[in-house]
Amino acid sequence: MKVLVIGSGGREHALCALLGRNATGTPPRLFCAPGNAGIAEVAQCVPLSATDINGLADFAGQEQISLTIVGSEAPLAAGLADEFERCGLVVAGPSQRAAQLESSKVFAKEFMLRHRIPTARHRVASNVAEAREILRGSGFGPEDAPVVVKADGLAAGKGVVVARTRAEAETAIEQLMEGGRVGREAAQRIVIEEALEGREASLLLWTDGRDYALMPPARDHKRVGENDTGPNTGGMGAITAPGVLDEEMLALAVREIVEPTLAGARDEKLNFRGVLFVGLMLTPEGPRVLEYNVRFGDPEAQAILVRLRSD
Ligand code: AMP
Ligand code: GLY
């Protein structure tokens, strides 16, 4: 069997290490595009960019790759899974439409509203003036209550600001929409959200769109500085341990979030297949969705995959 992993980070290295270990049979022949120097120790690196969809589909066809696993979000948001399916190739990763759960926070919030999935209250703004008006309205509590400002599109973990004051929120909005903090396209719209309190957990699962298998829950550490200070990143490190998500919270998350999300994706014919990642805030009222990702987390994958004892 030949397996192709797409990506070039620690997450893809962890995936290749797991696939190469193979608990029950002959390990597959592994390729990784584009890979990196560490990955080259466990897989054959292929000099194709993760977003060169046609090049990757040609390669997978020529090499008769049995399974392709996509590590990062950009190729999925660009339609890699759709193109692979058109070419008759097997891919673990959702369609471009399903990838909107990650590639558009506005889409994700509207999806959650449609399917009554618990998440923070939000409003959408298309320009700075509209955003200011929303902030000055009474929808997000008193002046000194924190709010969260999020760029709609993909921003590699840098598109979210948890603002402690309205002044901070206004500055964040200006930086996102006009100041080039993230790419112009990512911040054409922004989501303004109520700030939730609690501990976070990342719940990942495999799904074929109908059935699913949960992975051990993890928690990543977002802020760049020591002692949980400074701006958010895509994740500085991760842990996985039973205490990250207790049995009661896990049962609630499955019943109120995981199952309605998969049912909603089916109803809307999103063709969700691959890995679903639910970023949770564990509030006193129960788990709330902070975000969806449509692939393994990085660095969550590095912590989770070494715990798996099966193929
Ligand atoms: P996201 O990309 O939407 O998961 O946001 C990145 C990080 O920002 C999360 O992991 C949280 O630490 C924080 N965050 C996002 N939304 C909220 C919220 N509504 N309340 C509090 N913190 C949030
Ligand atoms: N660590 C969070 C993410 O992969 O987006």
Side-chain angles (χ1 to χ4, degrees):
M1 188 182 186
K2 290 182 182 175
V3 177
L4 170 65
V5 173
I6 295 176
S8 59
R11 164 181 51 201
E12 289 76 25
H13 193 169
L15 272 164
C16 288
L18 175 87
L19 290 159
R21 190 190 69 191
N22 199 293
T24 53
T26 318
R29 186 153 168 227
L30 275 179
F31 299 87
C32 187
N36 64 32
I39 293 173
E41 292 178 3
V42 291
Q44 184 178 328
C45 293
V46 183
L48 287 171
S49 146
T51 48
D52 177 3
I53 293 178
N54 292 326
L56 290 164
D58 287 347
F59 172 80
Q62 276 154 19
E63 277 291 339
Q64 297 185 307
I65 299 288
S66 320
L67 171 67
T68 297
I69 302 179
V70 188
S72 51
E73 59 279 15
L76 294 166
L80 182 140
D82 310 74
E83 179 60 19
F84 270 51
E85 279 192 11
R86 261 195 294 280
C87 299
L89 296 160
V90 178
V91 58
S95 68
Q96 185 171 35
R97 283 186 64 229
Q100 291 176 96
L101 285 173
E102 173 165 3
S103 66
S104 168
K105 291 199 185 282
V106 174
F107 178 90
K109 294 299 274 191
E110 289 171 354
F111 175 90
M112 287 185 263
L113 279 181
R114 281 196 292 281
H115 300 287
R116 299 172 193 275
I117 293 165
T119 185
R121 279 184 300 112
H122 83 286
R123 297 281 303 274
V124 178
S126 305
N127 56 58
V128 172
E130 204 182 329
R132 280 207 190 98
E133 207 161 299
I134 291 171
L135 282 178
R136 286 175 192 157
S138 57
F140 293 100
E143 265 291 294
D144 55 354
V147 290
V148 184
V149 176
K150 301 183 174 186
D152 176 43
L154 294 178
K158 298 178 180 62
V160 176
V161 178
V162 182
R164 280 165 306 179
T165 62
R166 295 302 144 91
E168 251 181 64
E170 284 204 24
T171 309
I173 288 163
E174 284 156 18
Q175 284 175 350
L176 286 170
M177 297 194 98
E178 292 171 348
R181 183 190 168 108
V182 300
R184 194 167 260 286
E185 203 159 309
Q188 280 179 0
R189 290 187 293 176
I190 53 162
V191 171
I192 300 171
E193 218 172 82
E194 120 194 71
L196 299 173
E197 301 240 6
R199 301 199 77 174
E200 290 182 44
S202 305
L203 183 57
L204 283 76
L205 52 103
W206 280 280
T207 181
D208 60 5
R210 219 178 62 90
D211 296 316
Y212 64 91
L214 298 176
M215 295 184 228
R219 174 176 299 131
D220 73 339
H221 295 270
K222 295 271 183 213
R223 298 177 73 175
V224 72
E226 293 299 334
N227 300 317
D228 221 14
T229 54
N232 272 345
T233 65
M236 298 297 291
I239 59 161
T240 161
V244 164
L245 192 58
D246 66 34
E247 297 264 317
E248 198 185 334
M249 276 287 187
L250 178 61
L252 278 173
V254 166
R255 197 172 68 229
E256 295 182 353
I257 294 168
V258 168
E259 294 186 344
T261 298
L262 295 178
R266 269 200 309 281
D267 281 356
E268 298 191 18
K269 300 195 169 39
L270 294 184
N271 192 13
F272 197 103
R273 270 192 273 174
V275 173
L276 177 69
F277 168 138
V278 192
L280 295 172
M281 185 69 92
L282 309 175
T283 76
E285 288 77 43
R288 300 284 179 266
V289 178
L290 295 177
E291 65 162 345
Y292 290 115
N293 293 324
V294 299
R295 34 87 194 164
F296 281 103
D298 190 347
E300 284 89 336
Q302 292 89 307
I304 291 170
L305 293 176
V306 293
R307 287 186 62 193
L308 300 184
R309 288 289 168 266
S310 73
D311 292 336

